Each structure stands twice: as structure tokens, then as C-alpha cells.
Amino acid sequence: YKLVEIENIFGVIKGSQEPDRWIMVGNHRDTWVNGAVDATTGLAALNELGHGLMLLKNSGWRPRRTIVFASWGAEEQGIIGSTEFVEDYITLLQEKMVAYINIDVAASGQ
């Protein structure tokens, strides 16, 4: 076995009226077998959501609550990235997070 460092990547758009209330949207980046479906479709959707909301923000719009975008590392190896984040920040998440929206396998087909 080889030890490697994993990374979680975050982006934030601060809320205008309730900045201490968070909506988190996330997906993992790593993939094993069905990479075109899991996790690539979810990552593409997460990136486009972030891009679209950033364009709105740059035109003067701000969300009511803070939106946190999360791109998790090492999901296929045991949901490590998101688990470590929750373990490290459980108190903060309990105080501030209102909802978590997981965008994993956003599209698939036959």
C-alpha cells in the first residue's frame, strides 16, 4: 500500500440575509469503474451550478443563505474525504448547516 494525501475542495457564496445558515452542495471527484456516470456527471453538474451562481453573483445577486460547494476526495476508498470533514467540523455543521444536497450520478442512460 502507498499512503497518499487526499484533498477536499470548497467554494463559498456568502448569503445576504442569513450568512450563518448554510446550504451545502457536494459531490466526489474520484471514480473507479463507471467514471462517466459516477462521479463525472455529478461533478459536471456541481461545476455548472457553481459557475451559473457565480455569474449571478457577479451581476449583483446574492443568495439569502450562504451556499457552500464541496468537492470530496477519496469517496470510492470509503467515503473518506466527507467523513473526515464532518468529524473535524461536526459542531460547526450542527450550528450552521440547514441542508446538504448531494449531486452524485446526476445522469445515466442505457
Side-chain angles (χ1 to χ4, degrees):
Y1 293 96
K2 179 181 174 184
L3 289 176
V4 295
E5 188 172 314
I6 65 164
E7 294 180 346
N8 294 321
I9 300 169
F10 300 94
V12 177
I13 300 176
K14 191 170 183 178
S16 62
Q17 297 172 18
E18 298 180 82
D20 291 332
R21 306 286 285 164
W22 300 353
I23 306 296
M24 184 177 276
V25 184
N27 182 57
H28 65 100
R29 300 183 302 286
D30 61 332
T31 175
W32 279 2
V33 178
N34 299 312
V37 175
D38 177 29
T40 307
T41 59
L43 186 56
L46 180 66
N47 287 343
E48 282 303 308
L49 176 63
H51 179 252
L53 293 178
M54 189 56 63
L55 290 174
L56 287 172
K57 180 184 176 287
N58 290 342
S59 70
W61 172 86
R62 293 238 336 256
R64 177 185 182 99
R65 295 176 174 160
T66 295
I67 301 173
V68 179
F69 300 92
S71 179
W72 307 114
E75 189 268 354
E76 300 292 357
Q77 292 76 21
I79 315 175
I80 297 170
S82 57
T83 299
E84 291 296 318
F85 176 77
V86 170
E87 288 175 353
D88 288 347
Y89 297 99
I90 187 68
T91 302
L92 184 66
L93 294 171
Q94 288 172 332
E95 292 171 2
K96 297 184 180 277
M97 188 152 48
V98 175
Y100 178 81
I101 301 167
N102 190 51
I103 306 177
D104 192 7
V105 188
S108 66
Q110 297 293 328

